[in-house]
Amino acid sequence: MAAPEITSSDPDGFPYGVWHERHPALFERLKGAFPFSSAQRAALDALLEETRHGSMEPLPDDAPGAALWNGAWDRGHYGKRWTDAPFLWAESYFYRRLRGAVGYHAPEGAWRGIDPFGPFKDAELAGDAVDEQLASLDELDRALVDEKTDALLLAALWGNRADLGFLLTAEEEGGDRPLVADEREALRALLRDGGGRVSLVADNAGRELIPDLLLAAHLLGAGRAAEVRLHIKPHPYYVSDATTADVLAALRRTAAAPGAAGRAGHLLWRALEDGRLTLDAHPFFCAPLGYAEMPDDLRADFASSALTLMKGDLNYRRLVGDRHWPATVPFAEVTAHFPGPVAALRTLKSDVATGLTASTVAALDAADPEWRTNGAHALIQVRAPVAGAPGGA
Ligand SMILES: O=P(O)(O)OC[C@@]1(O)O[C@H](CO)[C@@H](O)[C@@H]1O
């Protein structure tokens, strides 16, 4: 029995704060980062007003993407107050409307294709934190393969804290706490034969994508994957989400680094050329729906992967279902729909939680009442389907 979907209607709840604190802060950052025209600023202001006090207006049928938003992705939420609709659906649509407000999708518009979050992504990629990430790879040069896999999985996991949307209204505390669920051993076991394709469903650009790329280079270089497929967004999404342009910028940054990181960057550059590294930007990665509703072509892609690594909080919500699950509901149960083995690497930045023990939940509730949403905690969870089981291999 599925638990109720998470909405934003509770004024004391996390989602409500996203609409009433995070989004206004984001719009102020956007207006400070671009010389928007009065029309663009007015469109942003109107959108913010609509989301906070109005009801959800559909896209005009001739708008770019309307065939999906008013078709396959429509779940009957238009006309509802934004905060009464499912949080995942409503916020995904909010970012489509934001892109519309600044002209990102305008077929002949001068702002077509200008990433509204580009300045933030560029600044982060050029920053000292990325220099430190790249330099730290030299420390792993003499590590054993499994030790290196472990270290790079943790780097990719904690890289997920680098999420501007989250950081607009949250403190970035140091990572590296004990994980609330740590199934790295099961994850490494799925990589051991090394013969298959690893699908890495990326999340954010910059400080999250750099460790993702270093992990991909390691999996390819150490024979833990015959191919890595990097799934990215077809266009900007929830602020920091990585697009192909972000992958190429991060790759150039990595290849230009000295030492082990530079070698990893060149390995990935060659892997893109020879097909051991592939990029996929399926439209569904920006859909307002959970992965249980993914289209057949994407389902077949994941089904043929030795392992799918799902990065980040939003992908976790879409993988398990953005619902008020009991935090102890088994991860295998809520991911039974997913074809092929899947692992989640996620810092906890929203309400949904699954696959935790009762004692862990009790300890977290006692020690840190905001544990679900403050980004201070993280998990690595794995579901390796048994042949013949639902969603099995
Ligand atoms: O997927 P990410 O980048 O790890 O996190 C995305 C996020 O910042 O945005 C959503 C709320 O706006 C939540 O899923 C989460 O807080």
Side-chain angles (χ1 to χ4, degrees), residues 14-15 18 22-23 87-88 91 95 160-167 203-204 208 233 238 240-241 311-317 322 345-351 373:
F14 164 75
V18 170
R22 182 181 293 192
H23 292 170
F87 180 37
L88 173 66
E91 195 176 20
Y95 280 105
N160 178 236
R161 297 184 53 72
D163 151 24
L164 179 76
F166 165 72
L167 293 175
D203 185 18
N204 297 311
E208 179 168 3
K233 304 305 191 294
Y238 281 54
S240 303
D241 286 83
K311 288 297 308 304
D313 188 82
L314 182 53
N315 273 323
Y316 189 87
R317 294 167 56 199
D322 202 31
L345 284 71
R346 175 232 185 173
T347 55
L348 282 69
K349 297 184 279 189
S350 66
D351 290 314
T373 58

Side-chain angles (χ1 to χ4, degrees), residues 27-371:
F27 278 28
E28 287 314 305
R29 288 286 301 271
L30 282 175
K31 291 177 186 176
F34 287 98
F36 287 136
S37 67
S38 56
Q40 286 169 304
R41 288 197 303 275
L44 286 169
D45 293 343
L47 173 59
L48 197 57
E49 179 61 19
E50 181 187 316
T51 62
R52 299 174 72 180
H53 305 297
S55 57
M56 230 185 290
E57 299 298 326
L59 293 175
D61 283 337
D62 61 352
L68 282 169
W69 286 100
N70 299 343
W73 293 352
D74 183 355
R75 290 296 179 273
H77 301 310
Y78 294 129
K80 290 179 184 172
R81 294 181 59 78
W82 287 74
T83 46
D84 291 343
F87 180 37
L88 173 66
W89 202 98
E91 195 176 20
S92 297
Y93 183 51
F94 162 77
Y95 280 105
R96 168 59 186 82
R97 293 283 301 280
L98 183 158
R99 296 192 302 273
V102 299
Y104 177 87
H105 292 291
E108 282 79 41
W111 290 74
R112 175 180 175 75
I114 301 296
D115 184 341
F117 312 119
F120 315 135
K121 293 174 173 178
D122 296 347
E124 182 182 290
L125 189 62
D128 297 341
V130 168
D131 290 327
E132 289 161 20
Q133 286 179 316
L134 294 170
S136 66
L137 194 63
D138 290 320
E139 298 157 26
L140 291 176
D141 248 2
R142 284 175 295 283
L144 300 174
V145 172
D146 275 357
E147 289 171 343
K148 199 166 179 181
T149 303
D150 251 16
L152 290 168
L153 284 171
L154 285 178
L157 170 67
W158 288 113
N160 178 236
R161 297 184 53 72
D163 151 24
L164 179 76
F166 165 72
L167 293 175
L168 281 169
T169 52
E171 294 302 315
E172 180 167 9
E173 297 172 24
D176 300 338
R177 288 186 178 208
L179 304 189
V180 297
D182 186 355
E183 298 173 17
R184 274 178 290 168
E185 188 173 342
L187 196 163
R188 285 198 310 271
L190 287 166
L191 295 171
R192 197 139 292 137
D193 75 0
R197 179 178 70 238
V198 171
S199 288
L200 200 168
V201 183
D203 185 18
N204 297 311
R207 283 187 292 158
E208 179 168 3
L209 188 57
I210 291 286
D212 288 347
L213 291 179
L214 297 179
L215 174 62
H218 166 66
L219 296 178
L220 290 170
R224 288 292 189 264
E227 176 196 343
V228 172
R229 180 162 298 167
L230 191 59
H231 299 275
I232 49 193
K233 304 305 191 294
H235 49 65
Y237 191 46
Y238 281 54
V239 187
S240 303
D241 286 83
T243 62
T244 302
D246 299 314
V247 170
L248 296 174
L251 181 55
R252 292 180 195 283
R253 180 86 157 82
T254 304
R263 293 193 296 273
H266 288 288
L267 182 153
L268 292 172
W269 192 284
R270 290 191 303 275
L272 270 174
E273 291 175 332
D274 66 29
R276 286 178 302 134
L277 175 63
T278 53
L279 302 182
D280 169 66
H282 194 288
F284 192 77
F285 289 113
C286 288
L289 306 170
Y291 285 108
E293 301 187 67
M294 74 173 104
D296 291 344
D297 58 340
L298 189 57
R299 178 170 290 278
D301 196 340
F302 287 139
S304 60
S305 292
L307 174 63
T308 296
L309 297 174
M310 280 282 176
K311 288 297 308 304
D313 188 82
L314 182 53
N315 273 323
Y316 189 87
R317 294 167 56 199
R318 298 182 68 189
L319 175 65
V320 304
D322 202 31
R323 297 177 178 277
H324 291 289
W325 298 112
T328 53
V329 65
F331 181 72
E333 180 179 320
V334 294
T335 57
H337 65 81
F338 196 87
V342 61
L345 284 71
R346 175 232 185 173
T347 55
L348 282 69
K349 297 184 279 189
S350 66
D351 290 314
V352 72
T354 71
L356 305 183
T357 64
S359 59
T360 296
V361 174
L364 288 167
D365 283 341
D368 182 4
E370 305 299 318
W371 63 270

